[in-house]
Structure formats: C-alpha cells, structure tokens
Amino acid sequence: MSAFAFWVFSTFLAYLAAIRGIIGDRVGYFLAAAFPAVLANFIVGQNGFLSAGLIGGTLTLMERRPICAGVLLGLLTYKPHLGLLFPIALIASGRWRVFVTAGIVAALMAAASWVAFGGGSWQAFSPGISHALVSDGLADWGKLQTAFGLTRALGGSDALAWTMQIAMAVIAAGAIAVLWRGTAAYEIKAAALGTGAMLATPHLFTYDLVLLAVPLAFLFRLGRMHGFLARELAGIGLACLLILIFPFVEAPVGFAAVLVVAALIVRRALAPRSVTIEPTRNYPARDQHRGL
C-alpha cells in the first residue's frame, strides 16, 4: 500500500508541475487536479500521470530548454506508442537538439534495461502486446479509447479496426507535419501534437486520458493570452464531461473527447487571431510561461 501511494502521488506531482508550467501560474495546479481523468488514474494506480508529466514537460521546455525537453522525451520511451508523432514534429520543425537528445536517452534506457533484465524481456515485448491486447480480444473494447477500440466495440473485425486506426494515424501524422512546418502559434502546435499522439496510438485506456489535460492546458493558455473563441470553453467543458461519464456508459467516450479537442485545435489553427469573445487579460510577467 505504501508503494502504491508513493507511486501515485509522486507521479501526480510531476503531472501538476507540467500543467502549471504550461499555463504559467498557480491556477494550473487547480485545473490539473480538477481534470476528470485524474480520478481514474488514482483508482487504478497506473502511469497516466507520468506520461502526461513527460509529454507536458517536453512541450513546455522545447522552445527554451531543448536538451531538457529531449531528456524527458527520451524517458517517454517506456511507453513508446505515445511518442509516435514526436519525430515527425521535430524533423518538420528542425528541432535537432531535442531529437538527438531524445534518441541518446532512449538508447541509454534500452541498454540499461538489457543489462538489468537481459534480452528475453525485449523478445517477449512486441508479441506480448499483440497477443494480450488485440489478437485474442482480451481487452474490453469499450475501455479502449481509440479508433481501434471504437470499431471493435461496434462489432467491427480486427482488419477493419486496424484500417480505421491506421487511417487515423496517417491523418494525424500529416496534420502534425504541416502544422509544425508552418507559422501557427506554438500553443496550437503543442496542443495538436499532444492530441495527435493520442489519436495515433491503438492503445489508450481511460487512465491514459490524463494526457488530454496537456493540449487543453495549451488551449487555455492561448485563450488567456489572446481571448477565447466563441463556444471554445463550452467545447472544453464537453470534453471533460465525456470523460466524466465513462463509468456510467463504459463506451469509448474518451475517444470522443479526444476528437472534440482535436476539433477545437483545428478551429484555432484556421481562425483569424483577432476573432475572440473576450479581450486579452494582463497577468504578472513573472508568471507567464514559467517552466517546470
């Protein structure tokens, strides 16, 4: 029990720090703690807080401290399917220091695991995931918050589910490549990458939805800086509500929440920057864009 508590609360602090770093002042702590997916991760003691902390920290530090961002991204390779789109974004934007640092850290982690546990764990890793999660249908498809899970929950075959998932990943990858080569605000790029990472993977459970707090935090930061678009806050509220009702419906409503956030990001990327519903507020300079 003590190990459970230490794991959950220590990774929760990393998650809080990442969201606070994105938003730029102490209100980030409260918004992070109030996000509905937090409860799911607390109950099962999973790694959603750690994943969100690493992704949020990477995106927060990427512009100012690329080496530190690369270290955090390299550590994310403990859950490699969440980092599928990061190389595309880094190459498209020419962030080579982040890319190289992440590669070095990932290689060091792999070497350390090989020394500690031998090669048998690596040989069993990939087929083990395929066997347990997909091929034998051992997962409750309503709990899998992806295009793959939605297709299977609706009765689709493995082949159709993989087709839908691959199509979703290709669309997300293309959007990230275009966006990160363009001139959009960094908050939009970061929110898109955080959301795209969730859309691209076939493996995303309810506790992983803590990750959605990262793109929402970037959207919130952008809204505080330049004003929120009409009904943007309502869209954020809808995404949170969809996650909140999961225990009552046990359907891929979390995937719907990710799609809602993706739509908000697309709308932000396409909207003229002057179209807002409230003026920019002035916040203390010391709190703006403070890092971890």
Side-chain angles (χ1 to χ4, degrees):
M1 185 62 184
S2 59
F4 178 93
F6 176 78
W7 164 256
V8 171
F9 282 100
S10 61
T11 55
F12 180 61
L13 292 177
Y15 159 70
L16 289 180
I19 302 303
R20 188 258 187 257
I22 293 169
I23 291 178
D25 67 38
R26 294 177 183 85
V27 71
Y29 294 134
F30 300 102
L31 294 176
F35 188 57
V38 164
L39 182 59
N41 196 80
F42 263 120
I43 291 172
V44 298
Q46 268 287 354
N47 48 36
F49 293 148
L50 178 60
S51 300
L54 291 174
I55 289 179
T58 297
L59 293 172
T60 302
L61 297 173
M62 194 176 291
E63 287 193 304
R64 297 177 293 105
R65 300 178 182 174
I67 302 300
C68 293
V71 170
L72 295 181
L73 183 57
L75 295 176
L76 184 65
T77 53
Y78 88 96
K79 208 160 187 178
H81 56 282
L82 294 178
L84 294 175
L85 300 187
F86 276 84
I88 296 173
L90 296 177
I91 293 171
S93 59
R95 298 177 189 269
W96 299 111
R97 284 189 290 175
V98 181
F99 187 92
V100 172
T101 304
I104 292 172
V105 172
L108 291 174
M109 287 184 64
S113 71
W114 189 284
V115 171
F117 305 110
S121 60
W122 282 90
Q123 294 172 4
F125 178 68
S126 295
I129 292 177
S130 169
H131 178 79
L133 176 66
V134 177
S135 299
D136 287 353
L138 299 179
D140 180 345
W141 302 120
K143 296 179 180 179
L144 197 57
Q145 308 298 315
T146 62
F148 188 99
L150 176 62
T151 305
R152 291 306 306 270
L154 294 176
S157 65
D158 242 18
L160 178 60
W162 274 117
T163 300
M164 297 298 293
Q165 184 61 56
I166 292 171
M168 180 66 69
V170 170
I171 292 171
I176 291 301
V178 171
L179 192 60
W180 277 72
R181 282 185 62 86
T183 59
Y186 180 76
E187 289 80 7
I188 296 175
K189 294 179 179 181
L193 184 52
T195 305
M198 303 179 73
L199 293 174
T201 176
H203 185 140
L204 197 79
F205 285 103
T206 309
Y207 57 80
D208 290 314
L209 292 174
V210 177
L211 295 170
L212 197 59
V214 173
L216 286 176
F218 276 107
L219 286 177
F220 188 79
R221 183 171 102 180
L222 190 63
R224 293 207 319 170
M225 291 168 58
H226 301 295
F228 292 93
L229 298 178
R231 295 178 293 279
E232 188 171 32
L233 288 174
I236 293 174
L238 175 60
C240 293
L241 178 62
L242 286 168
I243 296 174
L244 187 64
I245 66 173
F246 172 78
F248 306 101
V249 297
E250 291 197 10
V253 288
F255 177 59
V258 179
L259 291 177
V260 168
V261 176
L264 293 175
I265 294 167
V266 170
R267 187 165 175 250
R268 264 289 179 183
L270 297 178
R273 296 187 181 184
S274 60
V275 179
T276 59
I277 62 171
E278 52 184 63
T280 303
R281 293 179 58 185
N282 293 321
Y283 293 89
R286 62 182 176 86
D287 280 337
Q288 286 291 337
H289 311 302
R290 184 179 292 178
L292 297 177

